[in-house]
Amino acid sequence: MIEFSILGEARKVVSKTTTMDFRRANFGLFRTLVERFPWETVLKGKGVREGWTFFKKEILMAQDQAIPMCRKSNRQGRRPAWLNRKLLLGVKKKRRAYHLWKKGQATQEEYRDLVRSRSEEIRKAKAQLELNLATIVRDNKKCFYKYINNKKKAKENIYPLMDTEGNIATRDEEKAEVLNAFFASVFNRETSYPQGTLLPELEGEDEEQNIPPLIQEEIVSDLLRHLDTHKSMGPDGIHPRVLRELAEVLAKPLSIIYQQSWSTGEVPDDWRLAIYKKGQREDPGNYRPVSLTSQGL
């Protein structure tokens, strides 16, 4: 009889995706870096796009200095949300008891009692987690739906779609073309007007009503303080957590840029970008594009 021994080292998969580590963030340093700019002087004479570009550049540079990055954990190696340190030690203890029982160093009844107690603790931990998620669902929808999606065993795919000629698209590439054609037909319609042109419903209004409103710094600061920090970043790369934490110092430059944008009708490119996501069913008309806009807008 010939025996083979294969020696190998398990390879740990490391995620290449990075994210901001707010647990190690230095918002004091961030605030100091932002406050050094006299924003009224810096933004004076600049257009909306130029002012926004300068503001975004400086904020992103300060963000890189004050908030370190960390790697996202892989889904396969991620610990379940309900598995705290106490339960983890209990699971390891149960495994040790199993090996002791197999070696005859523990009775089967002792092992079964331990299994029952650990199962009850896990059941209570899961129930408590689900109760907590249901309680905070209004404030943190992201964690709630993340938990729900992880519980699903199968992902829903897009149904076969019917194009304008009545042909059924079944392949992913064909479905993407059908959706793209439909969205293009909707968003390319002549619904925009040149700068300085009043909308039809505003024609004939008193000119005094068309005076641009005053963008108040206090209102901007209040809106920033109520941003949902669980939302994703927009195409500008500025995290909503940053805008919320530094609301009192960012309100000044943002209110200036908003006022200029309202007065001139000029809009930075970051505020116009959109990412479209797909929906369900056969008719592309039932699909609604979801735009991921700048959090500062």
Side-chain angles (χ1 to χ4, degrees):
M1 182 177 65
I2 302 176
E3 295 183 357
F4 293 93
S5 297
I6 301 177
L7 301 178
E9 183 178 355
R11 186 176 181 181
K12 185 178 180 181
V13 180
V14 180
S15 174
K16 296 182 180 180
T17 305
T18 57
T19 185
M20 296 182 190
D21 189 359
F22 286 106
R23 292 176 297 180
R24 296 188 295 151
N26 187 348
F27 285 108
L29 172 62
F30 205 149
R31 188 173 288 101
T32 302
L33 294 174
V34 176
E35 287 179 336
R36 62 180 177 170
F37 291 99
W39 290 108
E40 290 184 353
T41 305
V42 170
L43 297 177
K44 185 178 181 180
K46 287 185 171 64
V48 176
R49 295 184 182 179
E50 185 182 358
W52 170 257
T53 302
F54 178 83
F55 169 80
K56 184 179 73 170
K57 176 185 175 182
E58 296 300 330
I59 295 302
L60 292 180
M61 289 177 59
Q63 186 172 270
D64 292 339
Q65 296 181 50
I67 306 177
M69 304 295 289
C70 63
R71 293 186 182 276
K72 269 190 173 182
S73 59
N74 291 325
R75 184 172 180 178
Q76 295 179 349
R78 191 179 302 166
R79 186 183 300 178
W82 51 266
L83 186 58
N84 54 35
R85 179 173 177 79
K86 181 180 178 180
L87 285 176
L88 182 61
L89 294 176
V91 171
K92 292 180 178 180
K93 184 177 180 181
K94 184 187 73 172
R95 291 175 181 172
R96 289 195 298 269
Y98 173 79
H99 292 298
L100 291 176
W101 168 52
K102 284 297 184 180
K103 294 178 181 179
Q105 299 177 8
T107 64
Q108 185 178 19
E109 190 62 29
E110 291 175 347
Y111 172 68
R112 287 183 175 179
D113 291 340
L114 191 59
V115 169
R116 281 193 291 267
S117 62
R118 293 295 172 267
S119 299
E120 182 65 17
E121 291 176 358
I122 292 175
R123 185 190 65 80
K124 290 181 178 180
K126 290 181 178 180
Q128 185 62 44
L129 172 65
E130 294 174 356
L131 178 61
N132 294 339
L133 291 175
T135 304
I136 63 172
V137 64
R138 289 189 176 182
D139 300 325
N140 191 354
K141 296 183 178 68
K142 188 174 182 179
C143 288
F144 176 80
Y145 287 108
K146 179 181 178 181
Y147 179 77
I148 297 298
N149 291 331
N150 287 336
K151 298 289 286 185
K152 291 182 178 179
K153 295 183 179 180
K155 292 185 177 180
E156 295 182 359
N157 293 322
I158 284 190
Y159 280 58
L161 299 176
M162 182 180 297
D163 61 15
T164 55
E165 299 178 356
N167 300 320
I168 300 298
T170 56
R171 296 172 52 232
D172 291 341
E173 294 81 1
E174 296 173 347
K175 295 176 186 177
E177 290 296 333
V178 172
L179 291 175
N180 183 60
F182 175 76
F183 291 144
S185 66
V186 173
F187 289 95
N188 285 344
R189 293 174 184 170
E190 296 181 358
T191 56
S192 59
Y193 298 86
Q195 291 187 5
T197 303
L198 289 177
L199 296 178
E201 59 269 20
L202 296 180
E203 291 183 354
E205 295 286 339
D206 189 359
E207 293 183 0
E208 293 183 358
Q209 296 179 358
N210 297 325
I211 298 176
L214 179 63
I215 307 296
Q216 298 181 9
E217 182 180 339
E218 295 77 13
I219 296 178
V220 175
S221 178
D222 183 67
L223 292 173
L224 293 178
R225 280 195 292 267
H226 288 84
L227 282 177
D228 187 355
T229 57
H230 301 289
K231 295 289 186 180
S232 300
M233 290 185 296
D236 55 19
I238 304 175
H239 200 281
R241 174 78 179 273
V242 171
L243 295 172
R244 184 169 177 172
E245 292 284 348
L246 305 179
E248 69 279 4
V249 295
L250 295 181
K252 168 65 75 176
L254 286 175
S255 61
I256 296 174
I257 296 173
Y258 295 157
Q259 186 71 58
Q260 293 175 342
S261 178
W262 189 283
S263 302
T264 63
E266 187 180 359
V267 179
D269 294 335
D270 286 337
W271 297 0
R272 300 193 231 183
L273 296 178
I275 300 173
Y276 298 117
K277 297 184 179 180
K278 52 190 178 182
Q280 301 181 21
R281 305 305 176 189
E282 302 85 5
D283 185 5
N286 292 333
Y287 289 68
R288 295 185 179 181
V290 179
S291 63
L292 182 63
T293 55
S294 168
Q295 290 290 339
L297 176 58

